[in-house]
């Protein structure tokens, strides 16, 4: 006997319980990465236990046993999260309660609690991810829970799950217009579960602190960081070498870490940050639109240099003196904003100021060989022929020449560095990724008393051939430097381009390791994998723009299109109420019209006649239910007894004082009847 036949032969309670368990597993599975390890193991064990009891028809555990597991779940949640409130603790607890409630599934009341917990757990998946994949998985979960819910309201007989599934899909489709109206018009509120964190250590991406030499191997993260649409006739972008998206700027070095100079990660009050960058732009501006993925940090990413505030209603934005744009709260949702940048610009003071001395400071006791190298370069007459003159450009060029000709290698696997990171890079290892190169270069510049700092962000991007958007990935994260020069201000110098010119010029990236499927597809058809990824990312982009980025401002734009001059949330509520009432009145009107035009009793009898014809018994249209019952017993014998009894009760209902009172029960029984097979 096959597994499907075994499943079909189980008692209805066992079959329905196993189906509900499968749906619950589908709902919980996306949360495994967010749950503590003990919670995943405990929930899995409880669900397997409940499945075994249903399969074998064994009794459920006692309430005292369940109380022990409840106490363990609460204690584990408190021990792990130090609270039972908040997002993480709440999700852990609700998953455990859902798994435990399945061990108490005795009556329909218990089933209703399971359905309620299941729907809530399904929604909790969006606390962590609002991607298209998550939405598709939860749509399947929604249909599964609705199927189980419909099946629970069919108490008589053994209705097939396929019938409950069709009913659930029909209900979902009927409710889809109302759901769409709620999505479009329900007043938008900012999510409450966004918590800043910094989890990019050891992976390509941006961080609020740059630790040099503590990561032995950098894992390339190929996920999308942002998408950019350039406002040009053909959507063309500037040359790859000019695509520098500015992020955190580091000016303070303690020997192992680079930190922001004038502020810390938690010190972002507008009254304490300078807002004048002394920015001077030249040439034509470049207009573009950015769709930024959530990174749980307060910075925005814009092309160098953006003097104007990006168009982002509802968020406080400000720019620091190092040209970095900040939001007043972490970016926990997909953001879309318009910006204007000038690829040709200068910024910073033209002459030396006391504030610039901070960019020449180095910690004592670090990198002695680099300090000695700096002194040799300053005293070399071939590099600095006149010590009385400003030799900064010549010294910078000499350092870049050393990188070009010194056998240095751009690598994602340089190994762990020791205490003197710059010394190891310049004299021993001679390899590293962009942070090693930028850090060693700035240390050398400062050792020559030249103001220098590190800028991190993203460099480059690739054009999606499907939707024309430029995709910037986490693997495009980059670190470069800025050196101050008299009469020019801060000047961008990218030392990585001296070691690996293709990194910033020809856009030759080090590739992330691919999985078995991607490797196989790439071997069979080199362009197929790239085309598949382009299509998928284009679909994701549309999802971000039309669903995740459907903000309150876009709601107001919709109301303006409907004729409201100055729309407000009260107008949203009014329009939404009118739409809901219109649908409700339409449904009531349709029901009344259908009842007045057709006799529900006759419709049910006609459906029964049609089902009998499919089973091989054709009866005349004028045959009453009693005669139909006699023919059913004669044709099918004992197998037709439940159907014959149902037909007799249908006839009695016709002559009852209130025929409508029992018609709903008979209709439910009709759906649950086991009809004879032809």
């Amino acid at each position: 006997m096959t597994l499907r036949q075994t499943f079909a032969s189980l008692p209805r309670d066992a079959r329905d319980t196993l189906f509900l368990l499968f749906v619950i597993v589908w709902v919980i599975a996306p949360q495994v990465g967010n749950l503590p390890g003990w919670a995943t193991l405990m929930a899995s064990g409880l669900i397997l236990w409940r499945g075994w009891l249903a399969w074998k028809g064994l009794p459920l555990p006692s309430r005292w046993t369940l109380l022990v597991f409840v106490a363990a779940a609460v204690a584990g949640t408190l021990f792990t999260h130090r609270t039972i409130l908040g997002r993480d603790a709440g999700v852990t607890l609700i998953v455990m309660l859902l798994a435990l409630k399945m061990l108490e599934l005795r009556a329909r009341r218990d089933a209703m609690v399971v359905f309620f917990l299941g729907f809530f757990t399904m929604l909790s998946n969006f606390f962590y991810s609002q991607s298209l994949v998550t939405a598709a998985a939860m749509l399947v979960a929604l249909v599964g829970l609705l199927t189980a819910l419909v099946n629970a309201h069919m108490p008589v007989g053994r209705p097939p799950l396929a019938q409950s599934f069709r009913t659930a899909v029909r209900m979902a489709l009927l409710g889809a217009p109302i759901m769409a109206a709620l999505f479009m018009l329900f007043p938008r509120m900012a999510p409450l579960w966004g918590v800043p964190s910094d989890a990019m250590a050891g992976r390509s991406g941006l961080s609020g602190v740059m630790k040099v030499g503590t990561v032995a191997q950098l894992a390339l993260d190929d996920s999308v960081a942002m998408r950019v649409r350039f406002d040009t006739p053909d959507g063309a972008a500037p040359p790859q070498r000019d695509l520098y998206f500015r992020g955190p700027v580091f000016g303070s070095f303690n020997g192992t870490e680079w930190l922001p100079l004038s502020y810390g990660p938690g010190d972002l009050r507008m009254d304490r940050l300078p807002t004048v960058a002394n920015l001077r732009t030249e040439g034509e501006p470049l207009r573009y639109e950015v769709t930024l993925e959530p990174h749980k940090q307060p910075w925005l990413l814009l092309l160098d240099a953006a003097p104007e505030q990006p168009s982002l209603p509802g968020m406080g934005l400000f720019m620091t003196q190092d040209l970095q744009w900040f939001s007043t709260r972490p970016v926990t949702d997909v953001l879309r904003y318009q910006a204007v940048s000038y690829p040709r610009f200068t910024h910073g003071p033209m002459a030396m100021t006391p504030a610039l001395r901070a960019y020449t400071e180095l910690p004592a006791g670090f990198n002695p060989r680099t300090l000695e190298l700096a002194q040799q370069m300053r005293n070399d007459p071939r590099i600095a022929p006149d010590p009385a003159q400003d030799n900064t450009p010549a010294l910078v060029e000499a350092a870049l020449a050393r990188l070009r000709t010194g056998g240095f290698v751009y690598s994602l696997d340089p190994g762990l560095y020791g205490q003197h990171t710059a010394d190891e890079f310049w004299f021993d290892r001679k390899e590293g990724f962009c942070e090693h190169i930028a850090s060693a270069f700035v240390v050398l510049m400062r050792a020559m008393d030249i103001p220098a700092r590190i800028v991190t962000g993203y460099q480059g991007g690739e054009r999606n051939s499907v939707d024309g958007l430029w995709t910037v990935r986490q693997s495009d994260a980059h670190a470069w430097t800025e050196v101050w020069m008299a009469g020019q201000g801060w000047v961008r110098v990218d030392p990585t381009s001296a070691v690996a010119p293709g990194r910033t010029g020809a856009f030759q990236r080090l590739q992330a390791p691919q999985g078995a499927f991607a490797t196989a597809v790439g071997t069979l058809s080199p362009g197929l994998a790239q085309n598949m990824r382009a299509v998928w990312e284009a679909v994701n982009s549309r999802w971000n723009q039309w669903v995740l980025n459907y903000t309150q401002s876009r709601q107001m734009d919709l109301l303006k299109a409907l004729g409201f001059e100055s729309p407000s949330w009260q107008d949203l509520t009014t329009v939404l109420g009118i739409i809901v009432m219109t649908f409700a009145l339409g449904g009531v009107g349709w029901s009344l019209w259908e009842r007045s035009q057709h006799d529900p009793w006759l419709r049910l009898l006609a459906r029964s006649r049609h089902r009998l014809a499919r089973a091989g018994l054709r009866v005349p249209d004028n045959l009453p239910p009693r005669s139909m019952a006699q023919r059913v017993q004669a044709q099918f014998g004992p197998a037709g007894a439940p159907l014959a009894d149902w037909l007799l009760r249908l006839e009695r209902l016709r002559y009852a004082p209130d025929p409508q009172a029992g018609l709903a029960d008979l209709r439910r029984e009709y759906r649950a009847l086991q009809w004879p097979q032809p």
Side-chain angles (χ1 to χ4, degrees), residues 170-235:
R170 184 167 61 251
M171 292 171 55
L173 292 177
L174 289 174
I178 297 296
M179 290 190 293
L182 289 171
F183 172 78
M184 299 289 289
L185 297 171
F186 195 84
R188 297 271 156 171
M189 294 175 288
L192 304 178
W193 52 82
V195 181
S197 64
D198 191 359
M200 293 301 295
R203 302 189 65 82
S204 54
L206 298 187
S207 175
V209 176
M210 196 180 89
K211 298 181 180 181
V212 183
T214 59
V215 177
Q217 184 174 1
L218 187 67
L220 281 179
D221 184 356
D222 224 20
S223 61
V224 176
M226 59 182 170
R227 296 177 175 89
V228 185
R229 183 188 299 278
F230 292 98
D231 188 11
T232 57
D234 56 353

Side-chain angles (χ1 to χ4, degrees), residues 473-509:
R473 307 180 185 280
Q474 295 294 349
S475 55
D476 295 323
H478 191 48
W480 60 95
T481 71
E482 287 184 337
V483 177
W484 183 84
M485 298 184 185
Q488 301 182 55
W490 289 107
V491 177
R492 180 196 301 147
V493 179
D494 193 342
T496 302
S497 62
V499 177
R503 170 60 180 85
T504 57
F507 194 59
Q508 299 170 355
R509 297 291 194 265

Side-chain angles (χ1 to χ4, degrees), residues 604-615 617-619 628 670 675:
L604 188 57
L605 183 62
R607 290 169 60 187
S608 304
R609 192 179 297 114
H610 178 68
R611 289 290 295 272
L612 282 174
R614 290 170 54 187
L617 177 61
R618 297 187 178 276
V619 296
M628 291 171 60
Y670 167 84
W675 290 81

Side-chain angles (χ1 to χ4, degrees), residues 499-626:
V499 177
R503 170 60 180 85
T504 57
F507 194 59
Q508 299 170 355
R509 297 291 194 265
L510 295 175
Q511 298 298 318
Q514 295 183 337
F517 178 76
T519 302
V521 173
T523 302
L524 294 175
S525 177
L528 179 59
Q530 185 174 358
N531 292 335
M532 290 173 59
R533 185 172 72 169
V535 171
W536 174 246
E537 290 180 350
V539 172
N540 267 292
S541 176
R542 291 292 183 268
W543 170 261
N544 290 340
Q545 293 183 20
W546 296 106
V547 179
L548 300 186
N549 202 42
Y550 186 74
T551 58
Q552 188 180 47
S553 61
R554 297 186 65 182
Q555 285 183 318
M556 297 305 169
D557 292 340
L558 176 62
L559 290 185
K560 289 179 181 178
L562 295 176
F564 290 85
E565 294 184 0
S566 300
S568 63
W569 69 268
Q570 291 91 343
D571 297 325
L572 281 173
T573 306
T574 301
V575 174
L576 181 61
I578 292 174
I579 292 176
V580 172
M581 288 298 299
T582 301
F583 275 106
L585 293 175
V588 171
W590 172 264
S591 178
L592 293 175
W593 176 84
E594 188 180 41
R595 180 170 297 182
S596 66
Q597 296 296 319
H598 306 281
D599 188 333
W601 188 88
L602 290 176
R603 288 206 313 271
L604 188 57
L605 183 62
R607 290 169 60 187
S608 304
R609 192 179 297 114
H610 178 68
R611 289 290 295 272
L612 282 174
R614 290 170 54 187
L617 177 61
R618 297 187 178 276
V619 296
D621 292 346
N622 58 353
L623 198 68
R626 181 176 297 274

